[in-house]
Amino acid sequence: MNKTLLLFKTMVKMHFSMVGKDDKFKINVFIISLALIPIGIMWMFLLNTIISSLYQVLEPTGHESFIIAIGLILTGILLLFTSIPSILSSFYFAEDIEDYLAMPFHPYQLVIGKSLAPLLTVYGISAVVILPILFFYGLAYGSGILFALNGFLTFIFFPLIPFILSALMVMVLMRYANISKNKDRTKFVAGMFSLFMIVGFNVIIRMNQDTDQLSQGLGKWLEQQDQLLWNVTKFIPNVYAATKALEVDVWWHSVLFLVLFLLITVIAITLFIVFGQRFYYQGVLGISGGGKGKKVEDIESRTSSRSILWSYTTKELKTIIRTPAFFMNCVINSLFAPFFIFIMMFIDEDIGAMASTLQSIAPKSILLALFLFSIFVLGTNPTATSAISREGSNWFTNLYMPIQPKTILYGKLLAAWIVESVSIVLLLILFGFVINVPIFVLILWLILVVGASWISNLIGVFIDIHNPKLKWNDEQQVFKSRFAPLQSLLILFFGFGTLVLFLWFLPFVTNVWITFLILGIVIGTSIYFTQRKLIQTVDTQFIHIMEKQ
């Protein structure tokens, strides 16, 4: 037990180490935390509306505890599937696995230690979902200290069983399925599966007309399901006990179910340790093996005379496409917003009817609205903000290659711009063929958004080159616990958002061509000064990057 605690404590210190973090990092954390407050308020308002509507329907029939049961079961299913990619990365595909295997630890001790990173994701999702549900339900229920105590223990221990179930499935799969030689493909499939689960959940929600009707319809259905609580325990067994523990009308009844809930959790932890001891080492053996059957090709036949800039850009694009973590975060995630809009257009009649109302909207307003939405989509793409960090420990090789730092920088910028162009093409199809935006407004928008995309990449690379993350053991760590993408989005969105608001309300800017001219001048000026500043600092930053790490 002492070795287990020591290993876990060491991994916690390594994960949360503030060594090398300057005051700028702390300031960024503070600013971004403030920026997330409005999003949190909107999420709280949505949950409060759903829970209060459900409570009004279920309270007269005595089934109000179904609110907690449904909240826990949905959260458990979400945790069950979204934790699989992080478990795979942390348990099997991290680069420090071989270092720990040589240490005098039992397999179950390594499994407990490697659970840190996936558990952070699990508890992050739980804090966003479970805590607000318990809080708003407690306000409606008029609960007291016993409910608060049971709710706190539910938040602490409930996420463990979905996480353990995911870990058990992964360990058994890795033990008996020979997928170690296709680890990149495995991580890609797991990530895509989680993404489709999230998209599917949003589609189901969007298929309902509004929040109140969804809550009332769900409440009426729940009134007829007397065995619902017992049925959900077939999938996640601690839901029933946790729900009954939060019914505090009879205190000793609540305490008994709380003990049962904790007992189920202890049994699950014991199974986790037993399975880890039995299956972990067998699954991790040969994890570094490569694939077989690659063809031997003539190098000279594939060698052609190309510019250094385009060769480096091609190398960056291949790295992004061939690395599952980079492909998921830089390409797939950036397509989520356009893809989700496509879905809403087909399943929501009100949004689908938007095309018919465009004829009555001024072209200037259409251009500004499309431009602002596109800025948000482009700003969420982390390709530029991870341009330097993706190199990892191999960054030092750039210092010895016979390539100018400016060429390397432009290669990364071009690669990020090409990746973002995929989102631009999807938005072009969405605006032009689905929403039926007027053709001349669409052309003006396309010109502006191409320039805005270049600015987005300039800002992203500028942020990343000044504060890169080169020390990582798994590719997912390039994107986790980093504020660079959000910082770039805030700079881009609030900068152009302010300009769009001014142009929207200024009385003398009524013509779409004047609006286009002003936006074009601002974008061109921003490109000139941002690019000039980035080029001025690139030579010194290339040398100091390794020193900062």
Side-chain angles (χ1 to χ4, degrees), residues 282-505:
Q282 289 83 352
V284 82
L285 290 178
I287 204 65
S288 60
K292 296 181 180 180
K294 294 184 178 180
K295 297 180 179 180
V296 178
E297 301 181 8
D298 185 9
I299 298 179
E300 294 183 358
S301 64
R302 300 185 59 187
T303 304
S304 59
S305 178
R306 293 187 298 180
S307 67
I308 298 177
L309 175 61
W310 180 245
S311 297
Y312 195 89
T313 303
T314 305
K315 169 256 180 187
E316 283 289 304
L317 290 173
K318 288 181 178 179
T319 301
I320 293 173
I321 294 174
R322 293 175 178 177
T323 307
F326 298 160
F327 184 74
M328 284 292 302
N329 287 276
C330 298
V331 181
I332 299 298
N333 286 353
S334 65
L335 304 181
F336 178 78
F339 179 69
F340 189 61
I341 294 296
F342 270 115
I343 293 175
M344 289 194 299
M345 295 295 295
F346 286 103
I347 65 177
D348 195 317
E349 296 179 357
D350 294 333
I351 299 180
M354 183 187 303
S356 61
T357 62
L358 286 179
Q359 303 299 327
S360 60
I361 302 177
K364 165 197 165 183
S365 301
I366 298 175
L367 179 63
L368 291 176
L370 297 184
F371 178 75
L372 190 61
F373 176 76
S374 304
I375 286 294
F376 176 79
V377 173
L378 297 177
T380 57
N381 192 308
T383 307
T385 53
S386 62
I388 310 299
S389 300
R390 288 196 304 266
E391 299 281 350
S393 58
N394 296 324
W395 171 257
F396 71 93
T397 58
N398 291 313
L399 303 178
Y400 302 101
M401 287 194 302
I403 304 178
Q404 294 292 330
K406 184 165 63 174
T407 303
I408 295 176
L409 180 70
Y410 276 117
K412 292 182 176 295
L413 284 169
L414 278 174
W417 184 79
I418 292 173
V419 171
E420 284 192 354
S421 65
V422 179
S423 298
I424 295 176
V425 171
L426 281 181
L427 291 176
L428 179 64
I429 297 173
L430 174 65
F431 296 152
F433 297 97
V434 180
I435 305 181
N436 295 325
V437 174
I439 185 64
F440 76 96
V441 176
L442 196 63
I443 295 174
L444 298 181
W445 164 83
L446 183 60
I447 297 173
L448 293 175
V449 81
V450 168
S453 175
W454 189 252
I455 295 178
S456 172
N457 294 321
L458 287 171
I459 295 174
V461 173
F462 186 86
I463 294 173
D464 195 42
I465 201 173
H466 282 82
N467 190 23
K469 184 176 182 179
L470 300 180
K471 292 183 179 180
W472 45 266
N473 298 319
D474 182 79
E475 294 91 349
Q476 286 288 350
Q477 296 179 6
V478 176
F479 307 95
K480 289 183 177 180
S481 303
R482 292 199 71 211
F483 300 104
L486 185 55
Q487 186 179 1
S488 174
L489 174 62
L490 292 177
I491 294 174
L492 193 69
F493 192 71
F494 282 109
F496 281 104
T498 303
L499 176 62
V500 168
L501 287 178
F502 274 113
L503 293 178
W504 192 289
F505 293 106

Side-chain angles (χ1 to χ4, degrees), residues 164-319:
I164 290 173
L165 291 177
S166 299
L168 295 183
M169 290 190 295
V170 169
M171 285 190 287
V172 173
L173 180 65
M174 294 298 293
R175 169 60 181 88
Y176 293 106
N178 187 19
I179 60 176
S180 62
K181 295 180 180 179
N182 298 299
K183 62 178 183 179
D184 288 344
R185 188 179 304 169
T186 303
K187 289 189 285 185
F188 175 74
V189 172
M192 289 294 294
F193 180 74
S194 298
L195 181 64
F196 283 127
M197 285 292 299
I198 296 173
V199 173
F201 181 78
N202 281 277
V203 170
I204 293 174
I205 295 298
R206 288 301 308 173
M207 290 180 67
N208 295 276
Q209 295 181 357
D210 56 54
T211 302
D212 290 333
Q213 291 186 6
L214 170 64
S215 302
Q216 294 176 4
L218 180 61
K220 293 179 181 178
W221 178 78
L222 289 175
E223 292 179 12
Q224 304 172 0
Q225 309 300 315
D226 293 334
Q227 299 299 321
L228 178 66
L229 291 181
W230 179 248
N231 289 333
V232 295
T233 59
K234 296 177 182 178
F235 301 96
I236 303 179
N238 58 345
V239 172
Y240 182 79
T243 304
K244 286 297 184 180
L246 292 169
E247 295 179 357
V248 294
D249 293 333
V250 182
W251 69 268
W252 62 268
H253 186 271
S254 175
V255 171
L256 285 178
F257 275 101
L258 177 62
V259 173
L260 176 62
F261 168 70
L262 297 177
L263 180 60
I264 294 174
T265 306
V266 171
I267 294 174
I269 295 174
T270 304
L271 288 175
F272 177 67
I273 294 174
V274 172
F275 271 66
Q277 181 70 22
R278 176 66 180 83
F279 294 106
Y280 183 62
Y281 270 175
Q282 289 83 352
V284 82
L285 290 178
I287 204 65
S288 60
K292 296 181 180 180
K294 294 184 178 180
K295 297 180 179 180
V296 178
E297 301 181 8
D298 185 9
I299 298 179
E300 294 183 358
S301 64
R302 300 185 59 187
T303 304
S304 59
S305 178
R306 293 187 298 180
S307 67
I308 298 177
L309 175 61
W310 180 245
S311 297
Y312 195 89
T313 303
T314 305
K315 169 256 180 187
E316 283 289 304
L317 290 173
K318 288 181 178 179
T319 301

